[in-house]
């Protein structure tokens, strides 16, 4: 290489703007060095790859190269444009052959395109080229197959890798977490430990996300300790993941502690706390935190207001909720989406203001969304509003978005109104569509074992002891103010299955938890259905009588969760998770849960404090299709 070419190469290596590059490029042309390989390589690399480069200029350089471009040139364009067009053209070139970087960039482009055939085609080329053993290419294949939904093939590629680095492990854990396979994501951590692989901030964020989704608080705490050990706790991303995990697992105090210890915060940090307060039912605290956020100069976004509206809805702050809903667009120029409108419908519906709830649906840009009408239907059940309930139900049928839960709500409304004809017709429609409600269950984690209960469960090995304990629990709850309620009436003339000789699964889980945990230990109950008013009152009084914090979490249809926390003088909370036999490990249980309920959810979290019992949705634990009874004719 001549001295002039060496000087130009050094100038290109120190270039930091297109203005400077164009001057160098003109100098290159005037000296006839535009086809000099090292100079061409540096020109193209800056234009295609640098953040201050120019893809159009890169393409111009590429098209004016006087011979077949080398593989590195194709790689620069493939990386810069992230388009498979250049990969396809490269395969037609006689002088260039794909290398490790070619396949890596092509797989990233395919990942964005989400094309299954193209992913398989590239995989075949990788095998034929002999690069299937390379960990960089294999990691790209894992990501690509995960993006197109072929998790099984992604796992197979990962398992067949001869050598895996930390990036490969992080990619696999992240893919499993994003796919909702949180049990598998967490099991990957155990494999990492066995193989002596360490963790970094990326690993922690993915694992903490999975912990949040399956309420694995103990593992979350362990990961928090590991974050401190590897000195990652100062990362804003790890801090945000810890806040989210603690809030969703019902430990708001720890979430606040993490927040207070963070030196650097972003809008996600504030949002995680506001959402945590919101889903815990602490609307006033959420509003106070929001004001502090604005004072610190952090601009809120749509998620911020979603947390605020959730808090206002769960705490009955109608005026404050309406004010912040208006503030969202008037002061911060944010357009509400269906989730914000859903919170407002729920806010007005819980308060019994159906005119405003209906008005909110009609003025929204998403008035045809079934979520809004289903929210309204739930409020109609609370206040036994038959007329508006029929309107909401007809709309759901019209939108072809009805499900078994909607019919159960409607039959409950007809039942409360003593409308035998409406009850019977709804049951008939339910049968004609072959819809079945989900059986109710609750589970509690004791040590490393998960114990699941259904209504009137007699299958547990310690069933006799549990029922004996439950009698004592009920006696002490009555002394603490518990009065059984007939809240789950499924038809005129017959009473709540929670009463008498029948017990909902949550009561059995609480009794077992009191039997098998030390005094003062918090009980964490997971449910798949909302709690009925009688169980809510029962849990509140048990919490008071036994001086126990009781946390109940409910996952909404296989997704994320909502929680309530019962403290010795406060209301109770619910949870959700999967069913099975006894005893079995937490990992086995979570694997079963995710395989059955792998559906993304909307918002999850925890609600605490004073919630009006009349506004709680009732548990349909005993309201399965086989349990719903027709009202008697005399009624």
């Amino acid at each position: 290489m001549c001295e002039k070419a060496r000087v130009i190469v050094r100038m290109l290596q120190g270039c930091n703007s297109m203005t400077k590059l164009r001057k160098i490029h003109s100098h290159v042309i005037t000296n006839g060095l535009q086809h000099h390989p090292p100079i061409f390589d540096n020109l193209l690399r800056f234009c295609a790859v640098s953040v201050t480069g120019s893809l159009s200029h890169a393409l111009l350089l590429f098209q004016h190269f006087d011979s077949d471009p080398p593989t590195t040139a194709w790689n620069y364009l493939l990386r810069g444009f992230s388009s498979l067009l250049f990969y396809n053209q490269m395969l037609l070139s006689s002088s260039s052959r794909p290398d490790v970087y070619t396949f890596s960039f092509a797989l990233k482009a395919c990942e964005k395109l989400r094309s299954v055939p193209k992913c398989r085609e590239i995989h075949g080329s990788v095998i034929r080229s002999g690069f299937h053993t390379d960990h960089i290419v294999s990691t790209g294949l894992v990501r690509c197959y995960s993006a197109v939904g072929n998790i099984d093939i992604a796992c197979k590629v990962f398992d067949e890798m001869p050598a895996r680095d930390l990036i490969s492990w992080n990619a696999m854990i992240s893919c499993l977490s994003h796919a909702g396979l949180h049990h598998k994501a967490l099991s990957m951590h155990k494999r990492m430990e066995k193989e002596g692989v360490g963790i970094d901030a990326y690993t922690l964020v993915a694992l903490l996300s999975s912990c949040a989704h399956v309420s694995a608080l103990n593992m979350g705490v362990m990961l928090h300790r590991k974050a401190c050990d590897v000195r990652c706790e100062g990362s804003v991303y790890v801090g945000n993941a810890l806040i989210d995990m603690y809030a969703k697992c019902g430990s708001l105090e720890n979430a606040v502690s993490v927040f207070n210890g963070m030196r650097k915060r972003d809008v996600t940090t504030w949002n995680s706390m506001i959402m945590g307060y919101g889903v815990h039912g602490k609307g006033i605290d959420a509003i106070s935190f929001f004001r502090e956020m604005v004072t610190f100069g952090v601009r809120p976004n749509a998620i911020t207001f979603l947390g605020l509206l959730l808090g206002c809805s769960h705490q009955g702050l109608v005026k404050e909720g309406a004010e912040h809903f208006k503030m969202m667009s008037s002061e911060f120029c944010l357009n509400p989406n269906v989730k914000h409108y859903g919170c407002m419908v729920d806010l007005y519906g819980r308060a019994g203001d159906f005119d405003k709830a209906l008005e909110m649906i009609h003025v929204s840009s998403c008035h045809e969304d079934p979520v809004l009408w289903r929210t309204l239907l739930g409020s109609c059940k609370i206040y036994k509003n038959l007329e508006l309930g029929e309107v909401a139900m007809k709309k759901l049928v019209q939108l072809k978005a009805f499900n078994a839960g909607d019919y159960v709500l409607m039959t409950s409304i007809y039942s409360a109104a003593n409308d035998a004809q409406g009850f019977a017709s709804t049951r008939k429609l339910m049968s004609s569509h072959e819809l079945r409600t989900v059986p109710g269950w609750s589970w509690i984690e004791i040590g490393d074992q998960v114990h699941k209960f259904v209504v009137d469960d007699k299958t547990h090995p310690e069933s006799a002891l549990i029922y004996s304990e439950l009698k004592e629990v009920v006696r002490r709850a009555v002394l603490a103010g518990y009065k059984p309620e007939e809240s789950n009436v499924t038809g005129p003339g017959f009473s709540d299955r929670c009463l008498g000789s029948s017990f909902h699964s949550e009561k059995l889980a609480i009794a077992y938890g009191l039997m098998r945990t030390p005094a003062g230990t918090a009980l964490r109950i997971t449910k798949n259905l909302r709690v009925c008013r009688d169980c809510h009152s029962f849990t509140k009084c048990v919490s008071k009588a036994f001086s126990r914090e009781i946390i109940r979490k409910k996952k909404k249809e296989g997704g994320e969760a909502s929680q309530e926390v019962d403290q010795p003088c406060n209301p109770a909370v619910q949870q959700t998770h999967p069913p099975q036999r006894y005893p079995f490990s937490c990992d086995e249980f979570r694997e079963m849960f995710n395989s059955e309920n792998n559906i993304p959810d909307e918002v999850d979290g925890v609600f605490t404090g004073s919630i009006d019992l009349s506004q709680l949705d009732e548990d349909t634990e005993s309201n399965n299709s086989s349990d719903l009874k027709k009202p008697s004719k005399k009624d």
Side-chain angles (χ1 to χ4, degrees):
M1 185 188 300
C2 66
E3 184 60 30
K4 187 176 291 186
R6 289 195 185 94
V7 172
I8 292 175
V9 168
R10 284 198 296 269
M11 290 172 64
L12 286 170
Q13 289 172 347
C15 183
N16 58 9
S17 71
M18 278 304 297
T19 302
K20 190 174 181 179
L21 181 126
R22 286 190 177 95
K23 291 179 180 179
I24 298 172
H25 192 193
S26 63
H27 188 67
V28 168
I29 294 172
T30 57
N31 284 274
L33 296 172
Q34 61 269 30
H35 301 304
H36 192 281
I39 292 177
F40 171 76
D41 184 83
N42 280 275
L43 280 169
L44 187 62
R45 179 174 57 187
F46 180 85
C47 293
V49 177
S50 174
V51 292
T52 58
S54 169
L55 289 175
S56 59
H57 200 84
L59 191 58
L60 189 67
L61 283 168
F62 187 82
Q63 291 171 343
H64 284 80
F65 195 65
D66 65 347
S67 60
D68 287 338
T71 298
T72 53
W74 288 103
N75 289 347
Y76 290 146
L77 287 188
L78 185 53
R79 179 182 175 184
F81 282 92
S82 192
S83 170
L84 290 174
L85 174 65
F86 297 100
Y87 172 76
N88 295 334
Q89 291 178 355
M90 180 183 181
L91 296 181
L92 300 175
S93 172
S94 59
S95 62
S96 301
R97 289 290 178 266
D99 60 11
V100 170
Y101 300 103
T102 309
F103 287 121
S104 179
F105 300 142
L107 286 167
K108 285 184 179 179
C110 187
E111 182 182 342
K112 294 179 181 178
L113 190 62
R114 296 180 185 273
S115 171
V116 177
K118 198 65 183 178
C119 182
R120 290 174 177 170
E121 177 192 322
I122 297 174
H123 192 180
S125 297
V126 167
I127 294 172
R128 287 191 296 271
S129 301
F131 291 115
H132 58 284
T133 58
D134 184 86
H135 67 278
I136 296 177
V137 176
S138 295
T139 300
L141 282 167
V142 168
R143 288 196 178 109
C144 194
Y145 274 119
S146 299
V148 300
N150 288 347
I151 301 297
D152 291 339
I153 300 179
C155 292
K156 186 177 180 181
V157 171
F158 179 82
D159 292 336
E160 292 177 353
M161 291 174 65
R164 295 180 283 263
D165 60 7
L166 182 56
I167 296 174
S168 303
W169 285 96
N170 287 346
M172 192 69 253
I173 293 172
S174 179
C175 290
L176 291 170
S177 181
H178 287 145
L181 301 175
H182 304 293
H183 62 290
K184 288 188 177 180
L186 296 176
S187 68
M188 280 289 170
H189 178 250
K190 293 183 178 179
R191 285 183 60 183
M192 291 178 73
E193 288 184 325
K194 288 180 180 178
E195 296 187 21
V197 182
I199 61 173
D200 62 6
Y202 297 100
T203 323
L204 287 165
V205 169
L207 290 173
L208 287 168
S209 175
S210 290
C211 288
H213 280 83
V214 299
S215 305
L217 179 61
N218 291 338
M219 185 167 186
V221 171
M222 180 270 291
L223 290 172
H224 191 175
R225 287 197 296 267
K226 285 205 168 188
C228 296
D229 292 340
V230 297
R231 300 188 177 182
C232 285
E233 76 279 10
S235 165
V236 65
Y237 303 107
V238 173
N240 292 345
L242 283 167
I243 292 172
D244 183 62
M245 181 275 296
Y246 279 125
K248 288 177 180 177
C249 290
S251 183
L252 188 57
E253 299 80 6
N254 284 330
V256 174
S257 176
V258 172
F259 178 87
N260 291 335
M262 291 178 67
R263 296 180 180 180
K264 183 180 179 182
R265 302 167 183 147
D266 58 11
V267 65
T268 304
T269 314
W270 292 89
N271 284 350
S272 297
M273 282 306 309
I274 291 174
M275 185 67 76
Y277 279 124
V279 294
H280 272 83
K282 296 179 177 289
I284 294 175
D285 291 330
I287 292 171
S288 175
F289 211 81
F290 168 74
R291 291 172 179 168
E292 185 180 354
M293 172 184 181
V294 175
T295 302
F296 273 85
V298 181
R299 184 175 178 81
N301 57 24
I303 298 175
T304 314
F305 284 95
L306 184 60
L308 285 170
L309 295 177
L310 280 170
C312 291
S313 175
H314 291 144
Q315 201 169 352
L317 306 175
V318 179
K319 180 181 177 182
E320 292 83 353
E323 288 175 354
H324 285 86
F325 182 77
K326 292 178 181 177
M327 184 189 300
M328 183 177 177
S329 54
S330 62
E331 293 188 25
F332 297 98
C333 302
L334 297 171
N335 294 322
N337 59 35
V338 64
K339 292 183 179 180
H340 299 98
Y341 282 110
C343 285
M344 291 305 296
V345 172
D346 186 54
L347 176 68
Y348 287 126
R350 285 175 180 265
D353 194 341
F354 291 104
D355 290 337
K356 287 189 177 180
L358 200 56
E359 179 186 352
M360 186 60 64
I361 294 177
H362 290 312
V363 301
S364 72
S365 57
C366 42
H367 57 275
E368 295 293 312
D369 195 297
V371 170
L372 303 182
W373 294 100
R374 187 168 289 118
T375 302
L376 182 64
L377 182 63
S379 298
C380 291
K381 179 181 181 292
I382 295 171
Y383 287 95
K384 302 177 177 61
N385 190 325
L386 176 58
E387 182 180 354
L388 192 55
E390 288 180 328
V391 172
M393 189 66 203
K394 287 177 181 177
K395 191 66 178 180
L396 288 170
V397 173
Q398 179 186 335
L399 295 172
K400 297 181 181 180
F402 54 87
N403 58 36
D406 301 329
Y407 280 105
V408 170
L409 285 173
M410 200 64 230
T411 54
S412 297
I413 295 172
Y414 280 126
S415 177
N418 292 330
D419 188 335
Q421 183 178 355
F423 186 97
S425 63
T426 304
R427 293 288 295 121
K428 185 177 180 180
L429 282 171
M430 200 170 172
S431 299
S432 66
H433 287 99
E434 298 182 350
L435 297 173
R436 293 186 178 182
T437 52
V438 179
W441 47 257
S442 302
W443 68 262
I444 184 169
E445 186 175 338
I446 306 293
D448 63 347
Q449 300 292 313
V450 172
H451 301 263
K452 173 255 178 182
F453 300 88
V454 295
V455 63
D456 292 337
D457 202 331
K458 299 289 197 306
T459 61
H460 195 282
E462 299 180 83
S463 180
L465 286 174
I466 292 171
Y467 279 94
S468 175
E469 175 73 13
L470 186 54
K471 289 181 181 179
E472 174 62 18
V473 173
V474 171
R475 185 188 71 80
R476 290 181 60 175
V478 169
L479 293 176
Y482 168 57
K483 294 180 181 179
E485 299 183 33
E486 292 192 7
S487 61
N488 264 357
V489 176
T490 54
F494 77 102
S495 62
D496 193 336
R497 291 275 309 258
C498 230
L499 305 179
S501 61
S502 182
F503 294 100
H504 276 179
S505 60
E506 183 173 344
K507 292 182 178 179
L508 298 173
I510 289 174
Y512 189 70
L514 292 172
M515 282 173 53
R516 292 291 175 252
T517 58
T521 305
L523 300 182
R524 299 179 184 275
I525 312 293
T526 304
K527 296 178 59 66
N528 69 329
L529 298 174
R530 280 180 177 254
V531 64
C532 71
R533 291 190 297 180
D534 180 69
C535 285
H536 180 82
S537 175
F538 173 80
T539 309
K540 194 166 63 170
C541 293
V542 169
S543 177
K544 179 181 178 181
F546 288 84
S547 298
R548 296 279 197 118
E549 181 183 39
I550 303 177
I551 302 169
R552 295 177 299 173
K553 180 175 179 180
K554 174 189 176 295
K555 264 192 193 308
K556 305 173 187 173
E557 303 199 357
E560 299 178 6
S562 54
Q563 294 187 3
E564 302 168 348
V565 176
D566 276 308
Q567 295 176 341
C569 287
N570 289 353
V573 185
Q574 41 186 38
Q575 254 190 343
T576 70
H577 270 261
Q580 223 174 12
R581 297 174 300 168
Y582 321 89
F584 48 159
S585 72
C586 300
D587 290 335
E588 291 172 337
F589 177 79
R590 290 184 181 113
E591 180 173 357
M592 181 211 63
F593 174 76
N594 283 282
S595 64
E596 293 181 354
N597 298 301
N598 185 22
I599 306 171
D601 197 341
E602 296 180 55
V603 179
D604 68 19
V606 189
F607 14 112
T608 321
S610 55
I611 303 175
D612 187 348
L613 293 180
S614 66
Q615 295 182 3
L616 281 175
D617 285 341
E618 298 165 3
D619 194 343
T620 57
E621 190 164 318
S622 58
N623 286 351
N624 300 325
S625 56
S626 60
D627 294 329
L628 289 172
K629 298 184 180 180
K630 185 176 180 179
S632 59
K633 292 183 179 179
K634 66 179 181 179
D635 292 319

